[in-house]
């Protein structure tokens, strides 16, 4: 039987998840309620049902996440009957006496690293599965499917292992861990085509809707929860938008859109020439190497 390209991507991702289950003692699946992590959960259901997942779901909550994604996260975990662990950046700030960023475009996004590393230490996770894809950003394009991190969670681009013939080496020393990316070879369009084929539910925030927004530096930022404080030169508007990603409110911009169905979203993505992070993620625009620098410090 000839497999189409989505079948091939699905088969590869399921194989990677089963490799994680076979090679590691205490893995976890990073789950935020975003489309990529929802796709990972769907793939895990295919990989391990009728049994239980061989790992819990883990979310590092900045306290500035979109409520639509959080509600979806909780409802999905409850519906499939899998364990969800949530750890909060606010707790880490208080316990470690971290200095929270301030200023015009301040964000807690970078502080997620501390909370994630604490969770890895708390539960002794030796592998963390995530939904990063190579098409998102150039630092992610460099990273292997099995990405070894040292005892401090740091990533060294020069220490990556070859992955010939879909062979993945998960051998690590005590204290090290591996970040695993089963959909690394997928594109944003692949994810949406798979969501349509598999009839996967998503939070409504991914589809066009009217929302109050703040216009800052040419970007449409959400006013939800009062996370972003208006400044004199900011403009408050109501626009019809959707979100291509649902990261931290403080650094995730919306896109003007009329795409309120799966088919319309897919048509829109086919016509765009800029990646989702390139268009909407303010934290990636701090410098040319913003993502790579965060990864070297332990960021997912």
């Amino acid at each position: 039987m000839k497999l189409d390209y989505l079948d091939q991507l699905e088969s590869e991702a399921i194989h990677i998840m089963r490799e994680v289950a076979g090679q590691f003692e205490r893995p976890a699946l990073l789950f935020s309620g975003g489309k990529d992590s929802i796709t990972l959960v769907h793939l895990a259901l295919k990989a391990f049902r009728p049994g239980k997942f061989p790992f819990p779901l883990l979310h590092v909550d900045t306290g500035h996440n979109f409520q639509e994604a959080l509600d979806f996260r909780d409802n999905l975990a409850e519906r499939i009957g899998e364990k969800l662990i949530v750890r909060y950046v606010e707790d880490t700030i208080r316990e470690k006496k971290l200095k929270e960023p301030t200023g015009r475009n301040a964000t807690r996004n970078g502080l997620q690293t501390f909370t994630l590393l604490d969770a890895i230490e708390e539960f002794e996770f030796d592998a963390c599965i995530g939904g990063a894809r190579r098409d998102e950003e150039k630092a992610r394009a460099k990273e292997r499917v099995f990405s070894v991190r040292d005892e401090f969670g740091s990533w060294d681009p020069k220490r990556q292992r070859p992955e010939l013939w879909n062979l993945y080496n998960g051998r690590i020393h005590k204290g090290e861990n591996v970040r695993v990316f089963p959909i690394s070879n997928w594109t944003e369009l692949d994810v949406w085509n798979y969501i349509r084929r598999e009839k996967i539910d998503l939070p409504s925030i991914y589809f066009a809707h009217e929302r109050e927004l703040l216009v800052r530096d040419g970007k449409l930022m959400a006013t939800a929860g009062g996370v972003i404080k208006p400044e004199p030169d900011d403009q408050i508007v109501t626009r019809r938008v959707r979100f291509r990603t649902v990261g931290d409110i403080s650094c995730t911009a919306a896109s003007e859109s009329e795409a309120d169905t799966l088919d319309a979203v897919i048509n829109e993505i086919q016509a765009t020439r800029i990646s989702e992070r390139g268009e909407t993620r303010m934290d990636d625009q701090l410098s040319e190497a913003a993502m790579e620098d965060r990864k070297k410090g332990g960021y997912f």
Side-chain angles (χ1 to χ4, degrees):
M1 182 179 69
K2 185 177 180 180
L3 302 178
D4 71 11
Y5 83 102
L6 287 178
D7 291 326
Q8 293 174 25
L9 290 173
E10 178 190 75
S11 178
E12 178 186 58
I14 288 173
H15 167 67
I16 291 165
M17 285 198 170
R18 288 173 176 167
E19 280 291 304
V20 172
Q23 292 194 44
F24 298 96
E25 294 182 7
R26 295 184 183 88
L29 190 155
L30 274 288
F31 178 57
S32 64
K35 72 179 186 311
D36 297 310
S37 62
I38 292 169
T39 298
L40 286 181
V41 170
H42 183 82
L43 290 163
L45 290 168
K46 288 199 167 192
F48 302 111
R49 284 296 190 253
K52 298 284 286 183
F53 289 179
F55 40 68
L57 308 177
L58 171 66
H59 184 213
V60 175
D61 187 342
T62 65
H64 292 165
N65 296 97
F66 289 96
Q67 192 60 47
E68 295 96 324
L70 296 179
D71 291 343
F72 194 96
R73 176 201 71 186
D74 295 341
N75 292 336
L76 180 57
E78 182 178 2
R79 176 166 59 81
I80 64 175
E82 296 293 342
K83 182 179 181 181
L84 172 65
I85 299 169
V86 181
R87 289 296 178 267
Y88 298 92
V89 171
E90 287 185 68
D91 293 339
T92 307
I93 292 171
R94 183 178 63 256
E95 292 164 7
K96 291 186 176 294
K97 295 181 172 57
L98 299 177
K99 183 177 180 181
E100 188 167 352
T102 57
R104 179 177 174 83
N105 293 313
T107 176
R108 290 179 177 175
N109 205 44
L111 299 181
Q112 290 182 87
T113 298
F114 297 96
T115 310
L116 174 61
L117 294 178
D118 283 351
I120 289 172
E121 182 179 4
E122 178 184 356
F123 296 99
E124 298 182 343
F125 292 134
D126 50 5
C128 291
I129 303 167
R133 307 185 321 269
R134 290 193 175 112
D135 76 319
E136 291 180 279
E137 202 275 339
K138 56 191 175 184
R140 286 183 165 172
K142 292 182 181 180
E143 203 160 14
R144 299 287 194 263
V145 173
F146 273 33
S147 178
V148 178
R149 304 297 180 96
D150 66 20
E151 62 271 26
F152 303 107
S154 300
W155 173 61
D156 183 351
K158 297 179 181 179
R159 280 190 63 216
Q160 300 194 87
R161 298 168 177 175
E163 293 180 339
L164 305 175
W165 307 294
N166 288 342
L167 297 175
Y168 304 105
N169 180 3
R171 185 175 298 174
I172 55 175
H173 296 105
K174 186 174 178 58
E176 295 178 332
N177 65 85
V178 176
R179 312 290 169 86
V180 181
F181 307 110
I183 61 172
S184 186
N185 292 328
W186 299 37
T187 65
E188 181 186 12
L189 185 58
D190 293 335
V191 172
W192 279 100
N193 278 327
Y194 187 73
I195 286 167
R196 178 171 62 179
R197 188 186 82 170
E198 299 292 308
K199 298 180 174 59
I200 299 172
D201 290 332
L202 292 178
S204 59
I205 196 170
Y206 280 111
F207 301 96
H209 58 286
E210 285 203 349
R211 180 182 285 263
E212 183 183 87
L213 301 148
L214 180 150
V215 182
R216 175 176 292 178
D217 302 328
K219 299 291 187 183
L220 295 169
M221 309 299 294
T223 58
V227 174
I228 301 177
K229 305 301 180 186
E231 297 193 353
D233 59 337
D234 293 330
Q235 182 184 5
I236 304 297
V237 299
T238 299
R239 299 276 174 83
R240 189 165 174 81
V241 299
R242 72 178 194 88
F243 287 83
R244 290 177 70 181
T245 67
V246 292
D248 191 291
I249 291 172
S250 63
C251 60
T252 305
S255 304
E256 289 198 74
S257 174
E258 294 294 328
D260 56 3
T261 66
L262 279 171
D263 287 343
V265 169
I266 288 169
N267 289 339
E268 189 176 86
I269 293 169
Q270 287 175 327
T272 190
R273 292 295 178 268
I274 184 170
S275 73
E276 57 196 297
R277 292 191 72 94
E279 181 182 9
T280 67
R281 291 303 291 268
M282 304 291 283
D283 51 333
D284 287 350
Q285 299 172 25
L286 297 174
S287 74
E288 282 292 317
M291 173 64 82
E292 184 161 330
D293 291 342
R294 293 202 303 275
K295 279 181 171 289
K296 289 177 179 178
Y299 188 81
F300 203 86

